[in-house]
Amino acid sequence: MTATTTEAADPAHAFPGYLEFLAEADEHGAVEVAVGLLESGVPAERVLLDLVAPAQAEVGERWARDEWSVAEEHAATHVSERVVAAVAAYADPRPTRGRIVVACMDGEWHALPARLVAEVLRLRGWQVTFLGASVPAAHLVSYLHRYDAHAVALACALPMRLPHAHRMIEACRRSDVPVVVGGRGFGGDGRWARVLGVAWAPDAPSAADLLADERALRAVPPARLDHLADDEYASLTKRRGELIDSALADLRERVPGVRDYTPAQLDSTVSDLGYIVDFLAAALYVDDETLFGEFVEWLVAILVSRRVPASAVGLTLDHYGHRLRDFPRAGRFLDRARALVSGLPAAPAR
């Protein structure tokens, strides 16, 4: 192992080399960097939060900028997971506190951030059970009935999963197990966690502090979901398939090039059409147009980086607006998203 100097024993100093190992999918090199920091006296929590976490965030950004393929992103994520396992094995803490169950929402496949939280909690003395990605609510509740848990920590990276998250949170509460949530899916400031009436932590250390304070964990205001009485959310979800089919037909009619798409391009287009509906539904669920607007801006940025014009998204928003003209809240969210798209840059020329 290397890193022996004070300068080298710093995650920030090690970061560029570590990121290069991720780019090369070099598991041994990445593990050596992490373990070298540990052997130089850097606490395991800092290695996880100041090296692994920001490097993985950069992995996601490189995919979003179309600099890395999905395969490269997956390979780097696998290396990150192996590094987390190596750090956990090196630290090997013994539990001195109760059991915390850590899981990702049903349909949520980005498990590494939740795994980092689980390992930080383990380092803080908790007995941690990490259930991993996409845990169905019924299975989680069944597990809670078998094992005595102090609390559940739930992760959500995508706001479109918020309706599922709420059902999962309520299922845990019916088992009388307090819940703390985290992840970008609840908003950078936790605003959608507050709408759902659940305790939120912005990062792993904050989650550990909150879990240690049971009174604060349980002292959350009730959910604010009176707006669901208008039935727009439920009606939209019932029409999801119909909306996607009609939007695809509309694109084929208005953008002739779509008719010549390869099967892969067609699958990607259908997925994007579905994401637009799902994020609109989530925005209706929490009654926040910014959720939908932020997603549309992100989607346009992704598509533009892949040389798809922003106008393609605008056409779909127009179509959904016409089909949902009897949905006042959805119509308002779509109108404001269209205004955002009209002000965004077009795809660069090839």
Side-chain angles (χ1 to χ4, degrees):
M1 300 300 168
T2 54
T4 56
T5 67
T6 302
E7 182 186 23
D10 178 0
H13 179 78
F15 183 86
Y18 177 79
L19 192 59
E20 186 61 30
F21 285 129
L22 293 189
E24 297 297 325
D26 186 340
E27 175 183 327
H28 296 290
V31 169
E32 183 173 276
V33 170
V35 174
L37 290 170
L38 294 170
E39 291 181 341
S40 298
V42 178
E45 186 170 316
R46 279 197 63 206
V47 175
L48 294 174
L49 300 181
D50 297 346
L51 179 71
V52 179
Q56 190 61 27
E58 176 60 23
V59 168
E61 289 298 321
R62 291 187 179 189
W63 170 83
R65 296 192 299 263
D66 202 28
E67 296 173 10
W68 281 11
S69 68
V70 171
E72 289 172 309
E73 184 268 334
H74 284 188
T77 298
H78 170 73
V79 173
S80 295
E81 290 168 345
R82 298 295 296 164
V83 171
V84 172
V87 172
Y90 185 96
D92 194 24
R94 293 293 181 264
T96 58
R97 312 169 91 164
R99 184 190 300 270
I100 304 294
V101 176
V102 180
C104 295
M105 302 296 175
D106 192 2
E108 180 66 68
W109 296 100
H110 297 81
L112 185 58
R115 174 73 188 280
L116 290 169
V117 172
E119 296 307 329
V120 169
L121 294 176
R122 209 185 310 274
L123 290 168
R124 299 286 186 98
W126 293 99
Q127 180 182 355
V128 178
T129 300
F130 179 59
L131 300 183
S134 192
V135 180
H139 293 223
L140 175 60
V141 170
S142 176
Y143 188 89
L144 295 176
H145 285 162
R146 292 179 57 194
Y147 298 96
D148 183 26
H150 173 81
V152 176
L154 298 176
C156 180
L158 298 173
M160 73 176 185
R161 299 294 178 197
L162 286 172
H164 299 281
H166 188 221
R167 290 192 284 274
M168 207 162 181
I169 291 162
E170 291 303 308
C172 292
R173 285 177 171 162
R174 286 193 291 272
S175 301
D176 196 33
V177 180
V179 181
V180 61
V181 299
R184 293 182 180 179
F186 292 98
D189 57 358
R191 59 189 180 277
W192 301 318
R194 290 190 289 275
V195 173
L196 300 183
V198 63
W200 170 79
D203 50 40
S206 299
D209 293 341
L210 183 56
L211 289 164
D213 186 346
E214 187 167 0
R215 175 178 290 185
L217 191 58
R218 292 182 180 271
V220 292
R224 306 193 304 272
L225 297 170
D226 293 345
H227 52 271
L228 293 179
D230 66 11
D231 209 36
E232 284 199 30
Y233 166 76
S235 298
L236 177 63
T237 57
K238 289 176 184 176
R239 293 180 58 181
R240 182 180 189 275
E242 166 210 329
L243 288 167
I244 294 170
D245 289 344
S246 66
L248 182 59
D250 183 67
L251 281 177
R252 282 174 166 154
E253 180 67 26
R254 300 172 69 180
V255 185
V258 174
R259 301 171 195 168
D260 300 322
Y261 273 7
T262 65
Q265 288 174 314
L266 190 60
D267 285 346
S268 180
T269 300
V270 170
S271 293
D272 290 340
L273 296 175
Y275 289 144
I276 293 172
V277 176
D278 293 339
F279 273 86
L280 178 59
L284 290 173
Y285 197 87
V286 297
D287 196 31
D288 190 344
E289 68 186 47
T290 65
L291 187 159
F292 187 59
E294 289 171 3
F295 161 71
V296 168
E297 287 186 295
W298 176 86
L299 178 62
V300 169
I302 294 294
L303 293 177
V304 166
S305 74
R306 288 154 176 76
R307 302 188 185 281
V308 177
S311 59
V313 176
L315 290 175
T316 298
L317 297 177
D318 285 339
H319 176 78
Y320 285 156
H322 176 72
R323 302 286 292 195
L324 298 171
R325 55 189 177 276
D326 295 329
F327 290 58
R329 285 198 297 133
R332 187 169 68 253
F333 294 178
L334 286 162
D335 285 344
R336 295 188 179 176
R338 282 198 295 269
L340 285 173
V341 170
S342 66
L344 294 174
R350 288 184 179 276

